[in-house]
Amino acid sequence: MKNCVWCQRPVTSGVTLAAMWRWAPLPSPNLCAVCQKRLRPLHAPQCPRCGRQQSTTKVCHDCERWGDSWVNHAIFPYDATLKAYMQQYKFQGDYRLRLVMQPYLRQALAQERYDVLVPIPVTAETWLTRGFNQVTGWLTDQPFQQVLTVDAARKPRPQSSKTRQERLQSPQPFSLQPGATKLLRNQHVLLLDDVYTTGRTLRHAATQIYLGGAKAVTSLTLAR
Ligand SMILES: [Zn+2]
Ligand SMILES: [Zn+2]
């Protein structure tokens, strides 16, 4: 019998009648029923710009303060479940947990319209310590282009250690890989990241992508 990649409980196979009736994204074959139930996707009403779950369909205060027309789609609210997931996957480096999100990412990407998928990169330092990019770990056979590099010295400290103001003022950490413009010119680029917090990281990335000649840049994040 297979065990759940997240909690190690045995996974019982077979779709229950209850699962057929309730709306759910593609069931993940690597998750037990308990863990699948813990993962509750974002639902309406949401901010039409950043995807935040809220009580109205108005543009949220954070997006209003940005004053731009950025569009981000997210899959899950960044709640206790998602924080626990990210802690184990990203910070404890449990690479098996990429399997938890692969079906959700597959479904979400199938609903996006884009020409080029660009994951937010990790620093060289993270490669050495964690050994993987948490974002590309969620991809299976979806093509992507790693056109961005990130400068470790300019990479913001962990978001939690900063005030919102400090995060918003963080300097541009990204640059374009040589040859990126060939891939980006006149393309609609979809950026992929783990969590939309302030939106600062994605906008920094988009600035560089636009300099590379892209005609549009939007984003998809696992959580908001
Ligand atoms: Zn489980
Ligand atoms: Zn918003």
Side-chain angles (χ1 to χ4, degrees):
M1 189 181 273
K2 211 160 107 171
N3 288 339
C4 174
V5 290
W6 197 353
C7 73
Q8 312 311 322
R9 284 188 194 92
V11 177
T12 49
S13 57
V15 179
T16 63
L17 197 60
M20 284 171 66
W21 282 102
R22 80 189 158 90
W23 179 85
L26 294 178
S28 173
N30 297 298
L31 282 183
C32 70
V34 176
C35 287
Q36 290 201 30
K37 227 174 149 181
R38 278 166 74 196
L39 286 168
R40 302 168 67 94
L42 284 159
H43 56 74
Q46 285 171 255
C47 168
R49 297 272 170 78
C50 69
R52 178 208 293 265
Q53 195 169 297
Q54 53 185 19
S55 56
T56 72
T57 53
K58 281 195 205 141
V59 173
C60 78
H61 183 56
D62 284 355
C63 288
E64 244 174 21
R65 279 205 278 182
W66 274 110
D68 58 14
S69 52
W70 188 265
V71 175
N72 180 69
H73 294 150
I75 305 172
F76 297 106
Y78 196 43
D79 58 11
T81 301
L82 261 288
K83 282 177 188 163
Y85 169 80
M86 290 305 296
Q87 179 63 32
Q88 193 178 336
Y89 176 50
K90 184 174 169 178
F91 299 109
Q92 293 169 24
D94 188 347
Y95 190 51
R96 286 169 318 152
L97 285 193
R98 73 193 186 285
L99 302 171
V100 170
M101 296 304 177
Q102 284 175 354
Y104 296 98
L105 262 293
R106 169 176 299 282
Q107 195 192 42
L109 282 168
Q111 290 168 5
E112 294 288 335
R113 289 174 60 197
Y114 62 93
D115 304 310
V116 183
L117 181 64
V118 175
I120 296 296
V122 296
T123 63
E125 190 192 9
T126 300
W127 266 112
L128 287 175
T129 52
R130 187 185 304 152
F132 63 92
N133 177 333
Q134 71 276 9
V135 174
T136 54
W138 295 322
L139 299 173
T140 39
D141 54 3
Q142 301 94 338
F144 64 89
Q145 299 291 345
Q146 196 53 279
V147 298
L148 294 170
T149 47
V150 58
D151 178 351
R154 290 173 151 255
K155 174 97 194 310
R157 286 174 288 132
Q159 300 261 315
S160 52
S161 68
K162 291 188 152 192
T163 64
R164 183 171 192 280
Q165 202 50 41
E166 283 175 318
R167 279 184 257 158
L168 292 179
Q169 286 167 352
S170 65
Q172 172 64 267
F174 300 111
S175 51
L176 286 178
Q177 297 261 25
T181 46
K182 258 199 312 232
L183 298 161
L184 298 175
R185 187 155 307 284
N186 284 322
Q187 302 294 295
H188 180 161
V189 171
L190 181 70
L191 294 170
L192 185 62
D193 202 5
D194 48 15
V195 184
Y196 183 113
T197 308
T198 59
R200 176 69 278 180
T201 301
L202 289 163
R203 284 170 174 85
H204 271 323
T207 299
Q208 299 296 54
I209 299 283
Y210 276 121
L211 286 173
K215 68 173 177 195
V217 186
T218 53
S219 58
L220 173 67
T221 58
L222 181 72
R224 167 64 173 110

